[in-house]
Amino acid sequence: MKRQILICGASRGLGLGLVRAFLDADWQVHAVVRELRPASPLEALRSQRANDLQVITCDLNRRDAWCTLAAALQDRRLDCALFNAGVYGPSHQDPRQAESEDIGQLFLANAVAPIRLAQQLAEHVVDGGVMAFMSSQMASLQLALAADMPLYGASKAALNSLLRSWQMQLPQLPWSLLALHPGWVRTDMGGDAAPLSVEQSASALHQVITGQLGRRECAFLDYQGQPLPW
Ligand SMILES: NC(=O)c1ccc[n+]([C@@H]2O[C@H](COP(=O)([O-])OP(=O)(O)OC[C@H]3O[C@@H](n4cnc5c(N)ncnc54)[C@H](OP(=O)(O)O)[C@@H]3O)[C@@H](O)[C@H]2O)c1
């Protein structure tokens, strides 16, 4: 039986790169997108790899998103659930200018929605599997790198905080619980100046994630598997 992964936020950028990386490694992939755009790269991939790629359409911010995903997964058991979807928030990144609704959307998309969904889907993940979240080194309070993007950094710090709280609520970790930093990557969010291609980051993240199978640890790791301070 092929290993199975759920990848949330797979329409473009890193999420799409991760779909390719796991398909190339012969995994069965369940890719979640807000909408499957006609003639998109994911649509083409689905035609080529119909047996190995299921596309699920769902807005991950919805409170009932887990019902859509659970129905699509049926009784399949996941070796990994990867919560990659994220947004940057207002381009000015200034708390004084930000509208309440924008702040709410940012913290919902980057912190609350992924953790909530993971908690609701936890029973689908096998013992010894991996539950991973796309965080950022901007989340690290100790590194304090987020001066140029304080709202985005705070939303990823909130994600890491919720992840650690969840870890503390679990008497024992049935799977690895990971906050991941993908490096600075050339995507719509990362921009053209970023040093890493999507393929480089996704292939390295694939190694980090598969290396965590069976380990049952909670960690904040970069794309090369190096620990980052919380
Ligand atoms: N690029 C970097 O250098 C970098 C560095 C550190 C961390 N990260 C993190 O890595 C992750 C991926 O980043 P990226 O650079 O690939 O970003 P991106 O190019 O902007 O792509 C973001 C992805 O998230 C999806 N998404 C957002 N909100 C969603 C929702 N409510 N429901 C479903 N899908 C949703 C988008 O779908 P749509 O196409 O529907 O909008 C898109 O597929 C993010 O969490 C980001 O914060 C990126």
Side-chain angles (χ1 to χ4, degrees):
M1 267 254 292
K2 291 190 177 190
R3 289 196 185 278
Q4 311 229 7
I5 184 168
L6 176 78
I7 301 180
C8 293
S11 62
R12 55 194 167 94
L14 261 171
L16 179 63
L18 285 157
V19 169
R20 287 207 168 95
F22 278 88
L23 283 174
D24 287 348
D26 214 21
W27 284 53
Q28 198 134 32
V29 178
H30 308 275
V32 187
V33 296
R34 256 195 281 237
E35 65 171 313
L36 182 58
R37 297 175 190 107
S40 62
L42 188 65
E43 168 72 73
L45 213 48
R46 187 175 67 157
S47 314
Q48 292 158 18
R49 304 290 300 268
N51 290 335
D52 295 328
L53 175 59
Q54 173 181 217
V55 177
I56 306 166
T57 50
C58 179
D59 184 331
L60 297 161
N61 289 349
R62 289 180 57 105
R63 279 196 74 174
D64 60 359
W66 72 276
C67 298
T68 307
L69 302 195
L73 291 172
Q74 299 178 334
D75 57 358
R76 292 191 194 86
R77 305 275 290 152
L78 300 167
D79 296 282
C80 177
L82 174 51
F83 299 87
N84 166 74
V87 293
Y88 184 69
S91 54
H92 54 71
Q93 288 284 306
D94 184 343
R96 291 161 297 187
Q97 290 182 50
E99 299 292 340
S100 304
E101 192 172 329
D102 295 339
I103 297 173
Q105 283 298 315
L106 173 66
F107 279 76
L108 176 62
N110 286 2
V112 177
I115 290 285
R116 166 171 81 189
L117 207 46
Q119 291 175 337
Q120 288 162 329
L121 294 173
E123 284 177 9
H124 284 265
V125 178
V126 299
D127 191 54
V130 174
M131 195 70 99
F133 297 84
M134 208 58 83
S135 182
S136 165
Q137 64 181 3
M138 302 296 162
S140 169
L141 299 186
Q142 202 174 315
L143 294 177
L145 295 169
D148 292 336
M149 45 186 90
L151 291 175
Y152 174 78
S155 70
K156 293 292 188 181
L159 169 67
N160 284 12
S161 171
L162 286 167
L163 182 152
R164 294 299 304 276
S165 298
W166 190 19
Q167 177 206 2
M168 299 314 288
Q169 288 162 2
L170 293 164
Q172 257 185 331
L173 271 185
W175 5 255
S176 280
L177 193 52
L178 305 178
L180 297 172
H181 168 59
W184 183 19
V185 189
R186 288 191 296 279
T187 61
D188 292 340
M189 191 188 291
D192 294 337
L196 289 175
S197 68
V198 165
E199 292 73 21
Q200 286 170 317
S201 174
S203 146
L205 286 167
H206 167 262
Q207 296 288 334
V208 173
I209 290 167
T210 51
Q212 283 287 328
L213 288 167
R215 295 182 72 154
R216 296 177 185 80
E217 57 187 36
C218 180
F220 184 16
L221 302 174
D222 75 7
Y223 67 104
Q224 293 172 313
Q226 296 302 313
L228 292 169
W230 296 99

